[in-house]
């Protein structure tokens, strides 16, 4: 007769086999991706470079808001022309008037070119409306060049205290602080800035708002 094995001897091998099937416990995760494995988390896109600010010089300036009225000129507060053909703003003139004169000086002696100043601000020459547009643009008053017929409808009606524009379908000039800025007569005067008056007959009279 075969002797019977104790019950404990039968259970122990079964328990050992069960633990072997389960295997050792998994190591606790330390977070992040396992070395050598590709991460499934999306990589954040780089932050865009900060804008340098300012206005793109290749784009026209936006049209300005209506101007704030400025103090009218005092008697004798008029601009003058130097022998060089450059204009000098009167003492105490509003900043915007000084800017118009400074812009006008940059092209005061450049030659007349029909259509000049309408495709680009800095051009090899300027016609009458291109000249007036350039000077107004230099003070931030005009966003894009206008032809003379459009300038006859631009701004406010009537003469201004500091700046008056005379325009019709064929020509335009303006008077800034008592000084005429005009391509007509430039050949004789040597500059667009001129002290001589001319008739305003046949012209619409306009002025920048507030001026």
């Amino acid at each position: 007769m075969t002797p019977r094995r104790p019950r404990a001897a039968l259970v122990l091998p079964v328990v050992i086999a069960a633990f072997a099937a389960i295997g050792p416990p998994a190591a606790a995760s330390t977070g992040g991706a396992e070395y050598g494995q590709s991460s499934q988390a999306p990589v954040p896109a780089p932050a865009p470079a900060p804008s340098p600010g300012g206005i793109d010089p290749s784009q026209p300036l936006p049209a300005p808001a209506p101007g704030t009225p400025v103090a009218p000129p005092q008697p004798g507060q008029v601009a003058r022309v130097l022998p060089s053909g450059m204009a000098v703003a009167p003492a105490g003139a509003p900043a915007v008037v000084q800017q118009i004169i400074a812009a006008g000086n940059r092209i005061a002696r450049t030659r007349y070119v029909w259509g000049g100043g309408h495709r680009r601000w800095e051009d090899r020459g300027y016609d009458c409306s291109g000249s007036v547009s350039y000077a107004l643009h230099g003070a931030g008053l005009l966003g894009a060049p206008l032809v003379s017929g459009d300038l006859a409808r631009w701004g406010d009606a009537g003469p201004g205290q500091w700046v008056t524009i005379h325009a019709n379908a064929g020509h335009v000039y303006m008077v800034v602080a008592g000084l005429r800025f005009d391509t007509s007569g430039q050949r004789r005067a040597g500059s667009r800035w001129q002290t001589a008056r001319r008739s305003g007959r046949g012209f619409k009279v306009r002025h920048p708002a507030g001026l």
Side-chain angles (χ1 to χ4, degrees):
M1 181 175 182
T2 305
R4 297 179 61 184
R5 293 185 177 181
R7 185 178 297 272
L10 294 174
V11 173
L12 185 57
V14 175
V15 174
I16 294 174
F19 273 103
I22 295 174
S29 172
T30 58
E34 181 182 352
Y35 180 78
Q37 301 294 324
S38 59
S39 172
Q40 299 301 316
V43 178
S51 171
I55 298 174
D56 183 350
S58 67
Q59 300 299 319
L61 291 172
T68 302
V70 298
Q74 300 300 311
Q77 197 176 15
V78 296
R80 58 193 177 92
V81 186
L82 300 175
S84 63
M86 301 294 105
V88 178
V96 65
V97 174
Q98 297 180 43
Q99 291 165 356
I100 292 172
I101 291 176
N105 281 342
R106 290 197 291 271
I107 64 168
R109 298 176 63 89
T110 59
R111 61 179 177 165
Y112 177 93
V113 174
W114 187 85
H118 287 276
R119 299 189 64 180
R120 61 185 68 86
W121 285 118
E122 302 302 328
D123 213 338
R124 60 190 179 90
Y126 300 83
D127 63 11
C128 61
S129 55
S131 300
V132 171
S133 293
Y134 186 96
L136 294 174
H137 173 75
L141 297 175
L142 196 62
L146 298 178
V147 297
S148 59
D150 288 337
L151 286 166
R153 300 186 295 271
W154 182 81
D156 291 346
Q161 299 180 103
W162 286 98
V163 180
T164 300
I165 297 168
H166 301 264
N168 58 29
H171 186 62
V172 61
Y173 69 94
M174 67 178 174
V175 177
V176 184
L179 203 59
R180 179 172 141 224
F181 187 71
D182 192 356
T183 55
S184 176
Q186 177 186 348
R187 181 174 298 180
R188 180 177 62 255
S191 171
R192 284 170 171 79
W193 294 115
Q194 302 164 52
T195 56
R197 299 286 183 177
R198 63 169 292 170
S199 171
R201 186 176 182 179
F203 291 89
K204 296 286 186 181
V205 180
R206 313 288 294 184
H207 69 275
L211 292 176

